[in-house]
Amino acid sequence: MKHILIIEDDEAIAEIERDFLTIHGFECTIVHDGTAGVKEALSQDYDLILLDVMLPKMDGIEVLRQIRNEVLVPILLVTAKNEEIDKLRGLGLGADDYISKPFSPTELVARVRANIAQFERLNNQEPRLSKVRQLGTGDIVIQPDAMKVLVKGTEVVMKHKEFELLLFLMQNIQRVFSKEELYKKIWGMESVGDMRTVTVHINRLREKIEDNPSEPIHIQTVWGAGYRFVP
């Protein structure tokens, strides 16, 4: 049984989330403030963390900042529709995905399942990927076994999804992928997700690997079609 940590200060919402996840076979633990959320997230192993942005004592963005490098499981950020800045900040700090309130219980269960399934699928690929020592395209070198990216010989720190997205694009040089295709491949979901998640991660990658992110050479936009990686 997969174990979900719900960090949500609204008790009614937390109980609804717990009830629907429990019905679908998940075990859930609930905490109601950010400080307790950090402590609980670091105290035991969970399969996914459902993290609300607006929390007492410590907001969800700060919780994410404190646990992301210590907790290697999917983190699904829960935001209000008007919290655009928090969505972008959360993705930049390593949240795997976000879901906006109000959402249907069906969507919640689908997103939780898809994030866990994609995380497990990618982890199960690690032995296969480790056989590829590195991929190189001039100034950019990626080492799948060590999860390292080198730009002009200097290591660049990547969040988990940033690394996965760059690796996939570099394994498929010159091939154009739509946002929907990239979302399905990296996040493992169709239609239920927000395609802006892909855009945010593409922009983050450009900031880290391009000399001029506003005029990218390597991660190019093909207008009306998607993105491609060019050596």
Side-chain angles (χ1 to χ4, degrees):
M1 182 179 291
K2 303 298 183 184
H3 196 177
I4 310 300
L5 174 60
I6 299 172
I7 308 177
E8 168 63 65
D9 65 313
D10 188 314
E11 294 187 16
I13 292 177
E15 289 173 4
I16 291 172
E17 292 171 344
R18 179 196 61 199
D19 290 346
F20 273 90
L21 288 168
T22 300
I23 288 171
H24 287 85
F26 296 96
E27 179 183 356
C28 296
T29 295
I30 298 174
V31 294
H32 295 297
D33 66 72
T35 302
V38 171
K39 182 178 179 180
E40 184 63 31
L42 299 177
S43 69
Q44 62 175 300
D45 293 332
Y46 288 94
D47 295 288
L48 180 139
I49 296 174
L50 193 61
L51 174 61
D52 190 41
V53 170
M54 300 300 294
L55 294 168
K57 298 186 179 180
M58 182 189 300
D59 68 33
I61 298 298
E62 183 58 30
V63 172
L64 177 62
R65 192 191 309 275
Q66 292 196 22
I67 69 174
R68 177 68 283 181
N69 291 332
E70 305 296 328
V71 178
L72 299 179
V73 299
I75 298 178
L76 183 57
L77 207 62
V78 180
T79 70
K81 282 191 173 180
N82 61 350
E83 293 171 345
E84 194 68 26
I85 296 300
D86 287 330
K87 295 172 185 176
L88 299 179
R89 289 173 62 202
L91 292 172
L93 289 171
D96 293 272
D97 197 9
Y98 64 83
I99 184 170
S100 297
K101 297 177 182 176
F103 50 80
S104 70
T106 301
E107 180 187 4
L108 173 65
V109 172
R111 299 283 281 277
V112 167
R113 280 179 169 167
N115 272 282
I116 291 175
Q118 184 72 349
F119 180 81
E120 292 179 341
R121 186 186 68 79
L122 290 168
N123 279 352
N124 289 337
Q125 286 183 353
E126 286 182 359
R128 178 179 63 82
L129 292 175
S130 66
K131 295 177 183 177
V132 180
R133 298 301 299 273
Q134 68 179 34
L135 298 172
T137 58
D139 291 338
I140 302 172
V141 173
I142 191 166
Q143 300 174 345
D145 56 342
M147 291 193 69
K148 286 185 177 181
V149 177
L150 304 177
V151 178
K152 297 181 179 179
T154 300
E155 182 177 356
V156 176
V157 177
M158 295 276 177
K159 302 298 183 183
H160 190 63
K161 282 291 189 291
E162 293 170 353
F163 181 87
E164 293 169 8
L165 181 57
L166 180 61
L167 177 60
F168 178 70
L169 290 172
M170 289 181 66
Q171 288 173 325
N172 296 275
I173 287 175
Q174 297 285 5
R175 181 177 170 184
V176 178
F177 294 94
S178 68
K179 291 180 183 179
E180 291 77 12
E181 288 174 320
L182 291 173
Y183 196 87
K184 180 181 177 182
K185 182 65 180 179
I186 305 302
W187 284 265
M189 289 168 276
E190 294 181 89
S191 72
V192 296
D194 189 330
M195 296 304 111
R196 287 176 295 181
T197 301
V198 176
T199 303
V200 170
H201 281 76
I202 289 290
N203 289 338
R204 296 283 182 181
L205 283 177
R206 285 171 171 166
E207 291 172 1
K208 293 181 177 183
I209 71 171
E210 301 280 1
D211 289 335
N212 184 357
S214 63
E215 297 181 5
I217 295 173
H218 300 293
I219 301 180
Q220 298 182 354
T221 298
V222 180
W223 296 107
Y227 302 100
R228 67 183 172 198
F229 187 92
V230 178

